[in-house]
Amino acid sequence: MLAPSHIQRLIERARQFSALAFEAASKADELAAIDPNLWSEFHRSGLAMAAFPEALDGAGLCESSHQADLCTVLRLLGAGDLSIARLFEGHVNAISLVTRYGTKTQLRSLAAAVARGALSAVWGADDAAGLKIRGEAYPSVLEGRKILASGAGLVTRPLVTAEGSSGQLMCLLKLAAEHPADLSQWQAQGMRSTATGTVELTGVVITAEEMIGDAGDFMRQPFFSGGAWRFCAAQLGAVECLVDLFRGHLVARGRAQDPYQLQRVARCAASARTARFWVEEAARRFSAQEEDDDATVAFANLTRTVVERSALDVMEIVQRGVGLSSFIRPNPIERIARDLATYLRQPVPDRAMSDAARAVLDSPLPIGEFC
Ligand SMILES: Cc1cc2nc3c(=O)[nH]c(=O)nc-3n(C[C@H](O)[C@H](O)[C@H](O)COP(=O)(O)OP(=O)(O)OC[C@H]3O[C@@H](n4cnc5c(N)ncnc54)[C@H](O)[C@@H]3O)c2cc1C
């Protein structure tokens, strides 16, 4: 395990990088692209390697003992630029999947690629046809495409899900830097610089070395749903940033003592802190891998609902408290609210909520002791 001072330095570098990302975010939003110099800084800061174990020159952020630190880093990046936080979250998710289900050789190969400047991601979303692996033996070939793939055109080592004869499999691809990506459909309200697009993969040859784990591993619980705390942490960073900007606005405009604004500040502070308690606890439970996997999943699902509610409330309160200027560029509140509203749209929120409700109903425990 890394010395606390080493982790503290990483968090300090994440804080500095977040400040740079915040400065660059307006331009990135306008151009729908993150400045390559910022990516260089990202690699220099140690963040790209941070999720790998220490033995591979990382900081072990994927390890159980460092989930609280990962939570802090995700919050910091979410406060700087939510698009970068999203890309970082995907990168970390891919590394943790390879750590959990892959071989040492596969993890070493990914670490070497990232050390040379590559980024990873998890591309799971499919169109109606889905991505398929043709044939029973390797080398084999992919047929289909991935949609809603963040970092399309930028990520060269994505982990993609694909349907094989034995079920859903994971392939850690090696894409050429010039592999085509279609970003034409990404005319989103927010998260514009995530480069979220369609990547055609028909004809890509995959070898046995690129196959990670066994069929069904990708959605194995409690990791699949329990890991939702990570995107919640990134969203929380943006929520906290909105509250800070609101406070700064009120103080700068001499409006902070108005009783209605005081009420708004109190509601925002309480709401953001409530979300933080939930996210940090979800991260703790995920790392503790408590015996009751269902409870870990239920807690993460409830965390999604709490963070979504907090974000929606804070956005509304801040926009009403600041007024029209919060809708006018280049006020960062305008961009952050667009990004957050977009990034809150995560898969099947109704099912996350209703699964959690069913887990509560099925539990014999008093509600105070549930999950
Ligand atoms: C910025 C950004 C980056 C992304 N990057 C990636 C990426 O890199 N890789 C990746 O794989 N994905 C990525 N995604 C996609 C993401 O993981 C989700 O798949 C997507 O955001 C969910 O979209 P949705 O709101 O349409 O979800 P849906 O799940 O379709 O939900 C829409 C609504 O329909 C409801 N609903 C869902 N299913 C049903 C049903 N069967 N019957 C009735 N109601 C239903 C939901 O509860 C919700 O109310 C990204 C998304 C964003 C916003």
Side-chain angles (χ1 to χ4, degrees), residues 204-219:
V204 170
V205 175
I206 40 165
T207 63
E209 290 75 52
E210 286 161 287
M211 303 310 298
I212 304 293
D214 297 321
D217 278 346
F218 178 69
M219 295 185 76

Side-chain angles (χ1 to χ4, degrees), residues 26-353:
S26 172
K27 194 86 188 158
D29 172 62
E30 191 188 322
L31 299 175
I34 291 159
D35 187 336
N37 290 327
L38 198 61
W39 281 127
S40 304
E41 195 50 49
F42 175 77
H43 281 276
R44 262 198 301 278
S45 69
L47 285 165
M49 291 297 291
F52 290 105
E54 199 183 350
L56 295 177
D57 294 332
L61 274 195
C62 280
E63 288 157 22
S64 300
S65 54
H66 288 310
Q67 296 299 282
D69 302 312
L70 176 59
C71 185
T72 302
V73 171
L74 283 161
R75 277 179 43 242
L76 287 170
L77 297 189
D81 181 347
L82 203 48
S83 288
I84 289 182
R86 154 84 281 265
L87 291 162
F88 176 74
E89 194 278 328
H91 178 74
V92 169
N93 191 14
I95 296 168
S96 43
L97 285 164
V98 177
T99 305
R100 184 169 300 120
Y101 301 116
T103 63
K104 286 200 170 96
T105 310
Q106 288 171 324
L107 188 63
R108 220 177 294 122
S109 152
L110 181 59
V114 172
R116 289 194 300 272
L119 267 183
S120 194
V122 176
W123 293 346
D126 284 307
D127 62 8
L131 183 66
K132 297 190 173 60
I133 299 172
R134 285 285 165 233
E136 303 275 321
Y138 299 104
S140 188
V141 82
L142 291 175
E143 185 181 305
R145 62 199 60 80
K146 281 293 170 188
I147 62 166
L148 290 173
S150 288
L154 178 74
V155 166
T156 51
R157 298 303 308 273
L159 189 146
V160 302
T161 53
E163 214 50 38
S165 55
S166 54
Q168 188 188 44
L169 292 161
M170 290 182 275
C171 325
L172 182 63
L173 303 181
K174 289 179 187 150
L175 297 181
E178 57 278 8
H179 189 94
D182 179 4
L183 298 175
S184 61
Q185 303 299 306
W186 191 238
Q187 306 297 332
Q189 180 191 24
M191 305 297 279
R192 288 166 42 75
S193 62
T194 51
T196 299
T198 301
V199 181
E200 180 60 57
L201 295 169
T202 299
V204 170
V205 175
I206 40 165
T207 63
E209 290 75 52
E210 286 161 287
M211 303 310 298
I212 304 293
D214 297 321
D217 278 346
F218 178 69
M219 295 185 76
R220 202 166 296 291
Q221 299 291 19
F223 308 107
F224 180 69
S225 300
W229 75 263
R230 289 189 306 266
F231 68 70
C232 291
Q235 293 167 350
L236 171 61
V239 169
E240 291 174 327
C241 184
L242 281 179
V243 180
D244 281 339
L245 290 167
F246 181 38
R247 177 174 55 179
H249 163 87
L250 290 178
V251 172
R253 294 289 305 271
R255 291 181 168 182
Q257 296 312 315
D258 174 76
Y260 300 109
Q261 300 287 22
L262 287 171
Q263 185 186 34
R264 290 192 179 102
V265 170
R267 284 182 61 201
C268 280
S271 185
R273 190 37 89 115
T274 300
R276 182 155 167 193
F277 286 141
W278 276 83
V279 173
E280 289 184 342
E281 177 62 7
R284 191 196 66 74
R285 283 163 183 263
F286 185 81
S287 63
Q289 282 161 27
E290 285 164 8
E291 273 173 38
D292 188 349
D293 290 352
D294 293 344
T296 304
V297 169
F299 198 92
N301 281 336
L302 288 174
T303 301
R304 282 181 61 171
T305 69
V306 171
V307 173
E308 184 191 14
R309 190 66 263 157
S310 163
L312 292 170
D313 286 347
V314 166
M315 280 192 286
E316 184 192 343
I317 296 168
V318 170
Q319 286 172 338
R320 295 181 82 185
V322 173
L324 180 60
S325 67
S326 68
F327 291 84
I328 298 176
R329 289 172 207 165
N331 189 330
I333 294 174
E334 187 274 339
R335 171 183 47 77
I336 295 165
R338 273 189 293 114
D339 285 346
L340 188 52
T342 306
Y343 193 32
L344 283 178
R345 294 306 120 223
Q346 290 296 318
V348 282
D350 297 340
R351 196 167 67 213
M353 176 277 298

